[in-house]
Amino acid sequence: MNPLVRWFHQLGSPPYFDRFAARWTPWCYLAAMVLFGFGLWQALFVVPADYQQSDSFRILYIHVPSAWMSLFVFGLMAFYAAIALIWRIKLCEILAMACAPIGAGFTVITLATGSIWGKPMWGTWWDWDPRLTTELILLFLYLGVMGLYNAIDDRRAAARAAGLLSIVGVALLPIIRYSVVWWNSLHQGQTISLMGGSRMDPSMMLPLWLMVAATKFWFAGSLLARARADNLRREAGKDWVARLAGTKP
């Protein structure tokens, strides 16, 4: 068997995943903190003020990575949920449900920083703008997935029901992404392009990419930590969990 395929098969084993998560979670958090620290220092003290928005533009270094993560995490959650529904892989159910509260957190940060940024730019904390409204709906979808998962006692049935909701909710992601293109929007248009052609000055890009990388590592650490905890709860009573807890020789 191909070594990579064999590794993925092993990762589906609860004891193996527990060891994997325990090993890599601290490293993910450490990488995130280093990148956050360097990125924030660059964003606050190195990058020059914007010629139009002055220093208020600096909130984008939190807002933009969080907004990207709010979409990325929902898409990943739906991907794990689809695998779980098709192949009945328990670890994918666990990972999908672990994504929901983390993605909801990123969405709350996106909405909060957007409001703070919007107050001096638009003169209001909130407007029923297409981008803002669809991002708020995304938060409700995250909360719906979490609520449905916790409303059903059977963990596997709950994960399947909540996972199905996340798969349906994926249709919202391109609407959020292209809302500033399809409708007249108070929200500014696309400034940063991953494929080039960004309207942001190159001198301001480094801290942004550092913060983007930091949020990815933070998400990875949080996902592994939450999934490990859920995995241990589901496997409670198994011999390997008892040995891990030191209650069985």
Side-chain angles (χ1 to χ4, degrees):
M1 182 184 290
N2 182 283
L4 183 60
V5 175
R6 182 170 63 250
W7 178 78
F8 274 112
H9 277 286
Q10 290 175 333
L11 193 61
S13 164
Y16 187 92
F17 174 76
D18 182 79
R19 293 192 297 271
F20 176 86
R23 178 180 181 182
W24 289 106
T25 297
W27 289 105
C28 289
Y29 279 134
L30 178 61
M33 294 305 294
V34 170
L35 289 166
F36 269 132
F38 189 43
L40 285 173
W41 174 72
Q42 287 274 324
L44 295 175
F45 303 111
V46 177
V47 170
D50 183 74
Y51 77 101
Q52 286 184 320
Q53 302 183 33
S54 187
D55 285 320
S56 64
F57 94 99
R58 298 181 193 278
I59 201 169
L60 77 82
Y61 293 110
I62 299 295
H63 177 74
V64 172
S66 297
W68 288 354
M69 286 302 296
S70 71
L71 303 182
F72 170 78
V73 174
F74 198 95
L76 185 65
M77 177 173 65
F79 174 74
Y80 282 138
I83 294 176
L85 285 170
I86 295 169
W87 288 290
R88 296 290 193 269
I89 299 175
K90 183 166 67 174
L91 177 61
C92 287
E93 295 176 0
I94 293 172
L95 289 170
M97 295 302 100
C99 282
I102 308 170
F106 278 117
T107 308
V108 169
I109 293 171
T110 300
L111 292 167
T113 53
S115 294
I116 294 169
W117 193 4
K119 177 59 176 176
M121 295 299 104
W122 306 336
T124 181
W125 293 101
W126 181 264
D127 184 87
W128 293 102
D129 172 88
R131 174 63 65 83
L132 276 67
T133 303
T134 50
E135 187 74 14
L136 180 62
I137 294 171
L138 181 67
L139 176 60
F140 291 152
L141 278 172
Y142 273 123
L143 296 177
V145 169
M146 294 162 59
L148 186 57
Y149 180 58
N150 288 290
I152 301 173
D153 292 333
D154 185 322
R155 292 295 81 194
R156 302 210 67 179
R160 286 193 290 271
L164 184 59
L165 176 59
S166 71
I167 293 170
V168 173
V170 164
L172 180 66
L173 302 188
I175 298 175
I176 297 174
R177 170 66 178 78
Y178 294 105
S179 58
V180 294
V181 177
W182 293 342
W183 296 290
N184 290 326
S185 176
L186 185 63
H187 192 285
Q188 69 186 59
Q190 181 175 312
T191 303
I192 303 158
S193 174
L194 297 177
M195 304 304 291
S198 296
R199 292 186 290 151
M200 192 171 177
D201 190 273
S203 67
M204 300 176 174
M205 294 298 291
L206 176 60
L208 177 64
W209 296 126
L210 288 171
M211 295 298 287
V212 168
T215 55
K216 292 291 190 297
F217 277 109
W218 185 268
F219 166 68
S222 299
L223 179 64
L224 289 174
R226 295 189 68 88
R228 185 189 182 206
D230 195 8
N231 182 50
L232 288 171
R233 280 193 294 268
R234 291 188 185 211
E235 295 293 308
K238 299 289 181 66
D239 288 345
W240 72 270
V241 177
R243 285 193 295 270
L244 187 66
T247 59
K248 185 171 183 177

